[in-house]
CSV table of all heavy atoms in Angstrom, one decimal:
chain,number,residue,atom,x,y,z
A,10,ARG,N,12.1,6.2,-6.2
A,10,ARG,CA,13.5,5.6,-6.5
A,10,ARG,C,14.5,5.8,-5.4
A,10,ARG,O,14.5,6.8,-4.9
A,10,ARG,CB,13.9,6.2,-7.9
A,10,ARG,CG,13.0,5.9,-9.0
A,10,ARG,CD,13.5,6.5,-10.3
A,10,ARG,NE,12.6,6.2,-11.4
A,10,ARG,CZ,12.5,5.1,-12.2
A,10,ARG,NH1,13.4,4.2,-12.0
A,10,ARG,NH2,11.6,4.9,-13.1
A,15,ALA,N,28.0,6.5,-6.8
A,15,ALA,CA,29.5,6.7,-6.5
A,15,ALA,C,30.0,7.9,-7.3
A,15,ALA,O,29.7,8.0,-8.5
A,15,ALA,CB,30.3,5.5,-6.9
A,17,VAL,N,33.3,9.4,-8.4
A,17,VAL,CA,34.7,8.9,-8.5
A,17,VAL,C,35.5,9.9,-9.5
A,17,VAL,O,34.9,10.7,-10.2
A,17,VAL,CB,34.7,7.5,-9.3
A,17,VAL,CG1,33.9,6.5,-8.4
A,17,VAL,CG2,34.2,7.6,-10.7
A,29,ASN,N,28.8,17.7,-1.1
A,29,ASN,CA,28.3,18.8,-0.1
A,29,ASN,C,27.2,19.5,-0.9
A,29,ASN,O,26.1,19.8,-0.1
A,29,ASN,CB,29.4,19.7,0.5
A,29,ASN,CG,30.4,18.9,1.3
A,29,ASN,OD1,30.0,17.9,1.9
A,29,ASN,ND2,31.5,19.5,1.5
A,58,GLN,N,10.3,12.3,-4.5
A,58,GLN,CA,10.1,11.1,-5.1
A,58,GLN,C,11.4,10.3,-5.3
A,58,GLN,O,11.5,9.3,-6.0
A,58,GLN,CB,9.5,11.3,-6.6
A,58,GLN,CG,8.1,11.8,-6.6
A,58,GLN,CD,7.2,10.9,-5.8
A,58,GLN,OE1,6.3,11.3,-5.0
A,58,GLN,NE2,7.2,9.6,-6.1
A,111,VAL,N,40.7,6.2,-14.1
A,111,VAL,CA,39.4,6.1,-13.5
A,111,VAL,C,38.4,5.6,-14.5
A,111,VAL,O,37.5,4.8,-14.2
A,111,VAL,CB,38.9,7.4,-13.0
A,111,VAL,CG1,37.4,7.4,-12.4
A,111,VAL,CG2,39.8,7.9,-11.8
A,115,VAL,N,35.6,2.5,-14.2
A,115,VAL,CA,34.2,2.6,-14.3
A,115,VAL,C,33.6,1.9,-15.5
A,115,VAL,O,32.5,1.4,-15.6
A,115,VAL,CB,33.7,4.0,-14.2
A,115,VAL,CG1,34.2,4.7,-13.0
A,115,VAL,CG2,34.2,4.8,-15.5
A,124,LEU,N,29.4,11.5,-17.0
A,124,LEU,CA,30.6,12.4,-16.9
A,124,LEU,C,30.1,13.8,-16.5
A,124,LEU,O,29.3,14.4,-17.0
A,124,LEU,CB,31.2,12.4,-18.4
A,124,LEU,CG,32.4,13.4,-18.5
A,124,LEU,CD1,33.6,12.7,-17.6
A,124,LEU,CD2,32.9,13.6,-19.8
A,132,VAL,N,37.6,27.7,-17.5
A,132,VAL,CA,37.8,27.8,-18.9
A,132,VAL,C,37.3,29.1,-19.4
A,132,VAL,O,36.1,29.5,-19.2
A,132,VAL,CB,37.0,26.6,-19.5
A,132,VAL,CG1,37.1,26.7,-21.1
A,132,VAL,CG2,37.3,25.3,-19.0
A,171,ASP,N,19.0,13.5,-14.0
A,171,ASP,CA,19.5,12.4,-14.8
A,171,ASP,C,19.7,11.2,-13.9
A,171,ASP,O,19.4,10.1,-14.3
A,171,ASP,CB,20.6,12.8,-15.7
A,171,ASP,CG,20.3,13.2,-17.0
A,171,ASP,OD1,19.1,13.5,-17.3
A,171,ASP,OD2,21.2,13.4,-17.9
A,175,LEU,N,18.1,7.0,-13.5
A,175,LEU,CA,19.0,5.8,-13.6
A,175,LEU,C,18.9,4.8,-12.4
A,175,LEU,O,19.3,3.7,-12.5
A,175,LEU,CB,20.5,6.2,-13.7
A,175,LEU,CG,20.9,7.1,-14.9
A,175,LEU,CD1,22.4,7.5,-14.8
A,175,LEU,CD2,20.7,6.3,-16.2
A,176,LEU,N,18.1,5.3,-11.4
A,176,LEU,CA,18.0,4.5,-10.2
A,176,LEU,C,16.9,3.4,-10.3
A,176,LEU,O,15.8,3.8,-10.9
A,176,LEU,CB,17.9,5.3,-8.9
A,176,LEU,CG,19.0,6.4,-8.7
A,176,LEU,CD1,18.7,7.3,-7.4
A,176,LEU,CD2,20.3,5.7,-8.6
A,206,MET,N,44.8,20.1,6.9
A,206,MET,CA,44.9,20.2,5.4
A,206,MET,C,45.0,21.7,5.1
A,206,MET,O,45.7,22.0,4.1
A,206,MET,CB,43.9,19.4,4.8
A,206,MET,CG,43.7,18.0,5.0
A,206,MET,SD,45.1,16.9,4.5
A,206,MET,CE,45.0,17.1,2.6
A,209,LEU,N,48.3,23.8,7.2
A,209,LEU,CA,49.7,23.4,7.3
A,209,LEU,C,50.4,23.4,6.0
A,209,LEU,O,49.7,23.5,4.9
A,209,LEU,CB,49.9,22.0,8.0
A,209,LEU,CG,49.3,22.0,9.4
A,209,LEU,CD1,49.5,20.5,9.9
A,209,LEU,CD2,50.0,23.0,10.3
A,211,GLU,N,52.7,22.4,2.5
A,211,GLU,CA,52.2,21.5,1.4
A,211,GLU,C,52.3,19.9,1.8
A,211,GLU,O,51.4,19.3,1.5
A,211,GLU,CB,53.1,21.8,0.2
A,211,GLU,CG,52.5,21.2,-1.0
A,211,GLU,CD,51.2,21.7,-1.4
A,211,GLU,OE1,50.9,23.0,-1.1
A,211,GLU,OE2,50.4,21.0,-2.0
A,212,GLU,N,53.4,19.5,2.3
A,212,GLU,CA,53.5,18.1,2.6
A,212,GLU,C,53.1,17.6,4.0
A,212,GLU,O,52.7,16.5,4.1
A,212,GLU,CB,55.0,17.7,2.3
A,212,GLU,CG,55.5,17.9,0.9
A,212,GLU,CD,54.8,17.0,-0.1
A,212,GLU,OE1,54.3,16.0,0.3
A,212,GLU,OE2,54.5,17.6,-1.2
A,224,PHE,N,34.7,10.9,23.5
A,224,PHE,CA,33.5,11.6,22.9
A,224,PHE,C,32.4,11.4,23.9
A,224,PHE,O,31.9,10.3,24.0
A,224,PHE,CB,33.3,11.2,21.5
A,224,PHE,CG,32.3,12.1,20.7
A,224,PHE,CD1,32.7,12.8,19.7
A,224,PHE,CD2,31.0,12.1,21.1
A,224,PHE,CE1,31.9,13.7,19.0
A,224,PHE,CE2,30.1,13.0,20.4
A,224,PHE,CZ,30.5,13.7,19.4
A,229,LYS,N,23.4,19.4,26.0
A,229,LYS,CA,23.6,20.1,24.7
A,229,LYS,C,25.1,20.4,24.5
A,229,LYS,O,25.4,21.3,23.7
A,229,LYS,CB,22.7,21.4,24.6
A,229,LYS,CG,21.2,21.0,24.6
A,229,LYS,CD,20.4,22.3,24.4
A,229,LYS,CE,19.0,21.9,24.4
A,229,LYS,NZ,18.1,23.1,24.1
A,238,TRP,N,48.0,12.8,15.2
A,238,TRP,CA,49.3,11.9,15.1
A,238,TRP,C,50.2,12.4,13.9
A,238,TRP,O,49.6,12.8,12.9
A,238,TRP,CB,48.9,10.4,14.8
A,238,TRP,CG,48.3,9.7,16.1
A,238,TRP,CD1,47.1,9.6,16.4
A,238,TRP,CD2,49.1,9.1,17.0
A,238,TRP,NE1,46.9,9.0,17.6
A,238,TRP,CE2,48.2,8.6,18.0
A,238,TRP,CE3,50.4,8.9,17.2
A,238,TRP,CZ2,48.6,7.9,19.0
A,238,TRP,CZ3,50.9,8.1,18.4
A,238,TRP,CH2,49.9,7.6,19.3
A,250,GLY,N,53.0,24.8,16.9
A,250,GLY,CA,53.3,26.3,16.5
A,250,GLY,C,53.9,27.1,17.7
A,250,GLY,O,53.9,26.5,18.8
A,261,SER,N,40.2,25.8,17.3
A,261,SER,CA,39.2,26.8,17.3
A,261,SER,C,38.2,26.6,16.0
A,261,SER,O,37.0,26.7,16.1
A,261,SER,CB,39.7,28.3,17.4
A,261,SER,OG,38.6,29.2,17.3
A,285,GLU,N,56.3,7.1,14.4
A,285,GLU,CA,57.0,7.2,13.2
A,285,GLU,C,56.4,6.3,12.1
A,285,GLU,O,56.1,5.1,12.3
A,285,GLU,CB,58.6,6.6,13.5
A,285,GLU,CG,59.3,7.6,14.4
A,285,GLU,CD,60.8,7.2,14.4
A,285,GLU,OE1,61.2,6.3,13.7
A,285,GLU,OE2,61.5,7.9,15.2
A,287,TRP,N,53.7,6.1,10.6
A,287,TRP,CA,52.4,5.5,10.8
A,287,TRP,C,51.6,5.2,9.5
A,287,TRP,O,50.9,4.2,9.3
A,287,TRP,CB,51.4,6.4,11.7
A,287,TRP,CG,51.0,7.6,11.1
A,287,TRP,CD1,51.6,8.9,11.3
A,287,TRP,CD2,49.9,7.9,10.2
A,287,TRP,NE1,50.9,9.8,10.5
A,287,TRP,CE2,49.9,9.2,9.9
A,287,TRP,CE3,48.9,7.0,9.6
A,287,TRP,CZ2,48.9,9.7,9.0
A,287,TRP,CZ3,48.0,7.6,8.7
A,287,TRP,CH2,48.0,8.9,8.5
Side-chain angles (χ1 to χ4, degrees):
R10 296 180 183 272
V17 302
N29 292 343
Q58 291 301 132
V111 176
V115 301
L124 177 65
V132 181
D171 267 11
L175 298 175
L176 301 182
M206 299 294 292
L209 299 180
E211 194 62 32
E212 295 301 324
F224 193 112
K229 295 183 178 180
W238 288 92
S261 179
E285 290 190 8
W287 69 263

